Amino acid sequence: MANLAEAAIFKIGGNSLLVRAGALYHDIGKIENPQYFIENQNTGLSPHDKLPYEQSAQIIIKHVHKGIEITRKHQLPESVIDFIRTHHGNTRVDYFYQSFLKNSPEKFVDENIFRYPGPIPFSKETGVLMLADSVEAASRSLKNPDAQSINDLVERIIDYKLEQNQLDNCDITLKDLETIKLIFKTMLMSIYHVRIDYQQTL
């Protein structure tokens, strides 16, 4: 993910070293409850299976608060802590939100229980990291990565962030976004050893 973010910010213009530092620290809050995050679950079992959806969402959201607490305790620069604060913006933890709606349609739902506190990204660097983080995480769920599935995934993730107004405070243009998309697609195809048709990327 750090490589995706660094390559994108270098191309559109920004502080690539700061983005890499932000990428290295953005998820540090997960060290408090690592077993609740899918990248640390390799047994097929999840501790979320025994919890209400609201509680699961709050555990996931807490990694942002915990990350800020840890990095401030160790006196990291606020410019690095900004990546922790903003990398999910004020989006919902959609998996648990949608699961709640599906399984408890008769219950009232307070959407804010499932929503990160924000703020949304407010610089090119924090905006690019949010996109790289979302795209890289989603790419891990691709069962048979090929050029089409990677292309569709990158388009869908970035369009969703736009629709959710997560990039409203970043100085990222539509032209920048097209550049970012191309970099993400090319790098992901390389990671997953997908043959790239360079004629389509020119």
Side-chain angles (χ1 to χ4, degrees):
M1 189 276 282
N3 290 338
L4 292 177
E6 186 176 26
I9 202 68
F10 179 80
K11 190 69 174 178
I12 68 171
N15 189 332
S16 55
L17 186 59
L18 178 61
V19 165
R20 178 163 283 275
L24 294 175
Y25 283 102
H26 79 287
D27 267 344
I28 194 169
K30 290 182 177 180
I31 64 174
E32 183 178 64
N33 283 308
Q35 71 275 18
Y36 285 92
F37 297 89
I38 193 165
E39 61 267 33
N40 300 315
Q41 297 168 4
N42 47 24
T43 63
L45 300 173
S46 168
H48 291 291
D49 295 341
K50 299 177 181 177
L51 298 177
Y53 299 121
E54 306 96 302
Q55 188 177 347
S56 286
Q58 285 298 301
I59 290 170
I60 299 299
I61 289 166
K62 191 179 178 185
H63 87 274
V64 171
H65 302 289
K66 192 65 183 176
I68 295 167
E69 179 186 314
I70 292 168
T71 46
R72 284 196 173 141
K73 178 182 177 182
H74 292 279
Q75 301 181 334
L76 267 71
E78 285 296 319
S79 57
V80 173
I81 296 171
D82 284 341
F83 290 92
I84 300 171
R85 296 169 58 219
T86 62
H87 74 281
H88 288 292
N90 57 14
T91 57
R92 287 189 310 247
V93 185
D94 253 342
Y95 175 80
F96 293 115
Y97 177 70
Q98 296 298 337
S99 296
F100 181 96
L101 293 180
K102 180 181 177 182
N103 292 287
S104 305
E106 74 291 349
K107 288 186 180 178
F108 169 78
V109 57
D110 180 0
E111 192 178 303
N112 289 323
I113 292 174
F114 296 90
R115 197 172 281 281
Y116 285 97
I120 62 175
F122 45 78
S123 67
K124 276 188 176 183
E125 289 81 4
T126 53
V128 163
L129 184 124
M130 168 189 266
L131 297 176
D133 184 40
S134 298
V135 164
E136 190 275 332
S139 74
R140 283 187 256 128
S141 68
L142 291 173
K143 297 211 170 17
N144 295 298
D146 58 21
Q148 189 63 55
S149 64
I150 289 171
N151 180 79
D152 294 347
L153 179 137
V154 171
E155 292 287 340
R156 185 175 71 252
I157 296 289
I158 293 181
D159 286 350
Y160 181 72
K161 297 299 183 189
L162 279 171
E163 290 165 14
Q164 295 291 308
N165 304 312
Q166 296 302 302
L167 303 177
D168 284 5
N169 292 344
C170 309
D171 186 21
I172 295 178
T173 66
L174 292 176
K175 183 179 179 182
D176 289 337
L177 284 177
E178 291 306 311
T179 301
I180 292 166
K181 287 178 183 179
L182 181 57
I183 290 170
F184 286 177
K185 291 171 189 177
T186 304
M187 291 183 72
L188 286 172
M189 287 180 196
S190 176
I191 289 166
Y192 290 107
H193 308 292
V194 174
R195 183 178 174 277
I196 301 170
D197 184 351
Y198 289 99
Q199 291 300 317
Q200 294 183 6
T201 61
L202 296 177

